[in-house]
């Protein structure tokens, strides 16, 4: 785990560096079904295992946005926020879903610090996340996200 705070200077030395990987996370059909209910996306490739078995992926696949929604969990596992009163997800600069994630897979993400900028009473972290399915070299999702840490 890498310590991040609210000051720009200590973080500049980390720009461009791989900060670590999250733990492997199993994505179950129950999680996919709950996510589908929460967002109203009940497409059969996500929620109908019987029909999806005959579909293009041979089974149900995880919503891309469910993978992206794991970003907060990933960052909690990779970054230790010291002296941070408030962390805010500021958004995404770019997200791509490059390959399907079969339900029942384990995924993790690696994190790279792309940049830091000062904020009033804090710092903006520009981070790249690269999600992968265990056993596959192809990334399933790449995302550039922005996080604000406030003192």
């Amino acid at each position: 785990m890498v310590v991040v705070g609210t000051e720009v200077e200590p973080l500049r030395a980390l720009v461009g560096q791989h900060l670590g990987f999250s733990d492997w996370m199993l994505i179950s059909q129950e999680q996919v079904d709950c996510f589908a209910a929460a967002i109203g996306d009940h497409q059969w490739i996500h929620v109908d295992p019987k029909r999806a078995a005959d579909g293009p992926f041979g089974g149900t696949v995880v919503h891309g946005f469910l993978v992206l929604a794991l970003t907060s969990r990933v960052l909690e596992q990779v970054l230790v926020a010291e002296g941070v009163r408030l962390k805010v997800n500021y958004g995404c600069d770019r997200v791509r879903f490059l390959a399907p994630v079969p339900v029942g897979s384990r995924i993790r993400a690696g994190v790279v610090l792309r940049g830091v900028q000062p904020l009033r009473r804090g710092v903006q972290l520009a981070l790249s996340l690269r999600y992968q399915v265990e056993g596959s070299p192809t990334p399933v999702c790449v995302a550039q996200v922005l996080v604000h840490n406030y003192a």
Side-chain angles (χ1 to χ4, degrees):
M1 295 185 70
V2 175
V3 175
V4 296
T6 59
E7 300 293 326
V8 171
E9 288 311 314
L11 294 169
R12 285 196 200 273
L14 298 176
V15 172
Q17 291 189 29
H18 187 269
L19 304 180
F21 288 99
S22 68
D23 296 335
W24 290 104
M25 299 170 273
L26 177 67
I27 309 297
S28 69
Q29 187 64 56
E30 180 181 7
Q31 287 173 295
V32 171
D33 293 344
C34 288
F35 189 80
I39 67 168
D41 180 352
H42 300 279
Q43 188 175 168
W44 61 270
I45 63 170
H46 303 301
V47 299
D48 187 341
K50 191 174 205 176
R51 183 173 176 194
D54 294 326
F57 307 114
T60 52
V61 294
V62 178
H63 299 79
F65 286 114
L66 172 54
V67 173
L68 185 62
L70 295 170
T71 295
S72 294
R73 183 173 170 185
V74 165
L75 295 180
E76 286 290 325
Q77 294 177 3
V78 175
L79 307 176
V80 175
E82 286 189 359
V84 176
R85 179 181 54 83
L86 175 66
K87 294 183 287 186
V88 176
N89 170 6
Y90 191 62
C92 300
D93 283 340
R94 181 181 170 99
V95 176
R96 296 291 182 267
F97 303 111
L98 304 173
V101 177
V103 171
S105 297
R106 289 179 5 131
I107 66 171
R108 72 173 181 179
V111 180
V112 172
L113 180 62
R114 292 186 305 113
V116 294
Q117 291 184 349
L119 299 172
R120 187 169 174 237
R121 295 189 305 191
V123 65
Q124 175 177 282
L125 305 174
L127 302 157
S128 290
L129 282 76
R130 184 180 182 104
Y131 287 88
Q132 65 184 106
V133 168
E134 188 174 35
S136 174
T138 305
V140 294
C141 175
V142 292
Q144 295 177 358
V145 300
L146 301 172
V147 174
H148 288 182
N149 285 354
Y150 295 101

